[in-house]
Amino acid sequence: MIKSLYISGYRPHELGIFNNTHPGLAVIKRALTERLEQLIEDGLEWVIISGQPGVETWAAEVVIELKKTHEDIKLAIITPFLNMEENWKDDKKQTYHYICNEADFVSAASKKPYEAPWQFVEKDKFILDNTEGLLLVYDEENEASPKYLLRLARQYQEHVEDYELLTINAYDLQTIAEELQQQQWDDFY
């Protein structure tokens, strides 16, 4: 049983999603919602993200919505370093501040501002050490930045036998997109 889950995946630009009205966003959020609802029913208590724009932010928004009907689920944000959002555009900052305000726990793995890329790796190691599973929205055929976390998680699994590695891949997203399209079609007629 997974009680604490790290969720990560693609950044918005890696998926070509540049605004909140992109149709792919509804598909990703639906996939996350369905997976999280099942995990919550199985005993999931904490969702942990690092606050990065993209899948992590969208997962946080899903958890915030799920908290309305699943009172026991909690959201933690553990950033790689202090003031991570400092140089982000205003819309990304606004979303980040919203999810931080709604989170049950917010901290930084490194208690310093950005110094070097090692802080991202150390954050991933810290979160992997403090969770029982990773849900990665990632398709290995569409390689992008999540490949580094996937590689690290697989190495971690070699030493921690009960660590679960879950994915939502392109096939899963396509299936949900088709379901949503059918639902819209049914609603239309």
Side-chain angles (χ1 to χ4, degrees):
M1 173 185 359
I2 300 174
K3 289 189 179 246
S4 57
L5 179 71
Y6 182 14
I7 299 180
S8 192
Y10 291 107
R11 306 293 178 257
H13 67 276
E14 293 172 330
L15 295 170
I17 297 176
F18 299 106
N19 59 53
N20 290 334
T21 60
H22 191 284
L25 201 50
V27 174
I28 292 167
K29 284 186 171 184
R30 173 87 168 258
L32 287 165
T33 300
E34 288 179 5
R35 185 66 66 95
L36 284 171
E37 283 178 330
Q38 183 59 53
L39 289 165
I40 290 167
E41 292 214 2
D42 293 342
L44 179 65
E45 296 173 4
W46 282 92
V47 170
I48 294 91
I49 63 163
S50 70
Q52 295 289 329
V55 167
E56 292 192 20
T57 301
W58 304 325
E61 291 171 338
V62 165
V63 171
I64 291 164
E65 193 61 31
L66 286 172
K67 287 174 85 168
K68 295 175 183 174
T69 54
H70 299 82
E71 298 166 2
D72 295 337
I73 192 68
K74 293 179 179 60
L75 174 64
I77 303 171
I78 301 175
T79 63
F81 48 87
L82 294 175
N83 305 317
M84 175 179 72
E85 79 286 6
E86 198 169 57
N87 297 320
W88 293 357
K89 291 182 179 178
D90 286 342
D91 61 327
K92 284 187 175 41
K93 275 187 196 178
Q94 187 176 6
T95 301
Y96 175 75
H97 289 185
Y98 165 72
I99 65 171
C100 284
N101 287 334
E102 297 293 321
D104 298 283
F105 180 81
V106 180
S107 188
S110 169
K111 305 301 183 207
K112 303 173 185 176
Y114 179 77
E115 291 180 350
W118 64 266
Q119 288 167 300
F120 291 97
V121 175
E122 290 306 310
K123 172 263 307 174
D124 286 335
K125 288 179 182 177
F126 177 82
I127 296 176
L128 290 171
D129 279 340
N130 290 283
T131 55
E132 295 156 342
L134 168 67
L135 172 57
L136 198 60
V137 178
Y138 184 62
D139 192 281
E140 291 185 70
E141 292 181 23
N142 298 309
E143 205 171 82
S145 64
K147 71 180 179 183
Y148 302 108
L149 177 55
L150 179 60
R151 189 177 307 142
L152 187 64
R154 284 184 173 147
Q155 290 170 352
Y156 188 80
Q157 268 188 315
E158 292 173 12
H159 305 290
V160 179
E161 66 182 59
D162 290 348
Y163 199 83
E164 291 207 42
L165 179 55
L166 310 170
T167 59
I168 294 175
N169 60 30
Y171 176 78
D172 300 323
L173 294 174
Q174 181 62 37
T175 301
I176 295 219
E178 290 168 5
E179 288 171 8
L180 286 171
Q181 191 172 27
Q182 183 63 46
Q183 187 176 9
Q184 287 175 341
W185 187 256
D186 292 346
D187 291 347
F188 184 73
Y189 287 102

